[in-house]
Amino acid sequence: MSDHSPAFHDHNHDTCTHDVLHHAEELVRRDGIRLTPVRRRTLEILVSEHRAMGAYEVLDRLAADGFGNQPPVAYRALEFLVEHGLAHRINRLNAFAACMHPGEAHSPLFLICQACEAVAEAPSDPVRTAVEQAAAQHDFAVERVNIEVLGTCPACAGDAKEC
Amino acid sequence: MSDHSPAFHDHNHDTCTHDVLHHAEELVRRDGIRLTPVRRRTLEILVSEHRAMGAYEVLDRLAADGFGNQPPVAYRALEFLVEHGLAHRINRLNAFAACMHPGEAHSPLFLICQACEAVAEAPSDPVRTAVEQAAAQHDFAVERVNIEVLGTCPACAGDAKEC
DNA sequence: CTACCTATTGTTATATTATATCATACTAGT
DNA sequence: ACTAGTATGATATAATATAACAATAGGTAG
């Protein structure tokens, strides 16, 4: 892990933290989802780190905050967040990250740096369209799309050149 | 698991088996890759089933054929095949499948049926283009793209209607 | 052809990730 | 307060994956 993690560019972290939690609150009002203490704290942890975190890493944090310290505690909270579009699961890394475009209809597209493991989430509407077309050729009804791109982030590409 | 697995449509399985193995042989000649007995057998297993298989499932088959019966045996062979484009890893399922479009430059796009777990591999050149563009906006250098689409295959969609 | 080097395989052990299950506690609606 | 549905806590275990080292096979320079 490195210090390149918070996406690949500087950003106002207070703003994105606020946006995500605000969106969650809205779902509480609008859809009646239950943002219980564990779930809320789990989301806060993901947002505050702003990177892909393993379930056991999240679990450690939760335990430190006085929640249960057994795997299901973390997995259940994470699953809940994913189900409601507040977080994503990044299969390639067996990890989770808060959704940084909450509410927007989008198929998450993850840019995963192989050097520093930073993960950026990009909007992907044109990609989604292309995917739908490919699926249509197989008479396949799309429900969820997960796109994971492996490569090198600008920071690490720069590091490599310096050597 | 169900009987919908071999992609979503009937196909001439002899042909696709032949194509894949033929391509592998070509790599042996062209690139000097070493298609050892375990590796060859692993590819044959994946092709003959024509579906996503877990590493331990592959391992059982290999062991039955007299190869080692410890996890690394399967993982190493599978990793080799993935590296050389002869197989793909489907993260969502922690599973592997023979590449059915060997040799074609393509970013694999998997259509995964949530009902029967069948997996189809679709070519995805337009998708790839869209992905490259999204990545470019982040100055991200793409190396590998993995697209996994969850949904319902035509067979299962039909089944659902019948009820 | 032999000695060496490298890639591959076999084996043991263990790490990491994830889920099933059941008991307990909370929440909302009546 | 009662009850039906949810959510949490805790125990146990399953499923997936890798590290590390020994043994073997294959190619190649001398």
Side-chain angles (χ1 to χ4, degrees):
Chain A
M1 217 50 73
S2 89
D3 53 346
H4 297 144
S5 294
F8 303 146
H9 303 292
D10 292 338
H11 65 289
N12 184 328
H13 198 65
D14 288 343
T15 303
C16 73
T17 299
H18 174 268
D19 286 355
V20 169
L21 287 174
H22 182 78
H23 176 67
E25 301 289 3
E26 218 164 74
L27 288 186
V28 170
R29 286 192 298 275
R30 210 186 62 198
D31 301 351
I33 72 165
R34 292 174 60 183
L35 196 62
T36 60
V38 219
R39 291 169 176 173
R40 186 189 181 97
R41 187 77 196 104
T42 301
L43 181 56
E44 286 171 0
I45 289 168
L46 289 180
V47 173
S48 71
E49 291 284 336
H50 202 158
R51 62 183 172 85
M53 298 180 75
Y56 281 76
E57 199 180 349
V58 171
L59 178 58
D60 286 346
R61 308 290 202 92
L62 289 173
D65 290 342
F67 295 100
N69 67 342
Q70 297 305 313
V73 171
Y75 280 102
R76 285 194 288 231
L78 290 165
E79 184 188 17
F80 175 89
L81 296 175
V82 169
E83 254 170 25
H84 291 87
L86 293 167
H88 295 297
R89 183 190 172 109
I90 298 160
N91 290 308
R92 178 77 195 201
L93 304 175
N94 293 322
F96 300 82
C99 175
M100 289 303 151
H101 304 270
E104 303 169 28
H106 74 293
S107 312
L109 185 158
F110 299 105
L111 303 173
I112 305 169
C113 179
Q114 287 178 313
C116 70
E117 293 216 324
V119 176
E121 182 188 351
S124 64
D125 287 343
V127 181
R128 171 83 189 201
T129 306
V131 168
E132 300 268 5
Q133 285 173 0
Q137 290 179 9
H138 290 252
D139 297 319
F140 187 88
V142 176
E143 279 175 24
R144 269 171 183 258
V145 180
N146 187 268
I147 302 173
E148 299 181 7
V149 181
L150 294 176
T152 311
C153 75
C156 289
D159 290 353
K161 274 178 204 155
E162 285 163 24
C163 303
Chain B
M1 213 54 71
S2 88
D3 54 347
H4 297 144
S5 294
F8 303 147
H9 302 292
D10 291 339
H11 66 290
N12 185 330
H13 198 64
D14 289 343
T15 303
C16 72
T17 298
H18 174 268
D19 286 354
V20 170
L21 288 175
H22 181 77
H23 176 66
E25 301 289 4
E26 218 163 74
L27 288 186
V28 171
R29 285 191 298 275
R30 210 185 62 199
D31 302 350
I33 72 167
R34 291 175 59 183
L35 196 63
T36 60
V38 218
R39 292 168 176 173
R40 188 192 177 95
R41 187 77 196 103
T42 302
L43 181 56
E44 286 172 359
I45 290 167
L46 289 181
V47 174
S48 72
E49 291 285 335
H50 202 158
R51 62 184 172 86
M53 296 180 77
Y56 281 76
E57 199 180 351
V58 171
L59 178 59
D60 285 346
R61 307 291 201 92
L62 288 173
D65 290 343
F67 296 101
N69 66 342
Q70 297 304 313
V73 171
Y75 280 102
R76 285 195 287 232
L78 289 166
E79 184 188 17
F80 175 89
L81 296 175
V82 170
E83 254 171 25
H84 291 87
L86 294 167
H88 295 298
R89 183 190 170 108
I90 298 159
N91 289 309
R92 177 76 195 202
L93 303 175
N94 294 322
F96 300 82
C99 174
M100 289 303 153
H101 303 270
E104 303 168 28
H106 74 292
S107 311
L109 185 159
F110 298 105
L111 303 173
I112 305 170
C113 179
Q114 288 178 312
C116 70
E117 294 216 325
V119 175
E121 181 188 354
S124 64
D125 287 342
V127 181
R128 170 84 190 203
T129 306
V131 168
E132 300 269 5
Q133 285 174 0
Q137 290 180 9
H138 290 252
D139 296 319
F140 188 88
V142 175
E143 279 174 25
R144 268 168 182 261
V145 180
N146 187 269
I147 303 172
E148 299 180 7
V149 182
L150 294 176
T152 311
C153 75
C156 289
D159 290 354
K161 275 179 202 154
E162 284 165 23
C163 303

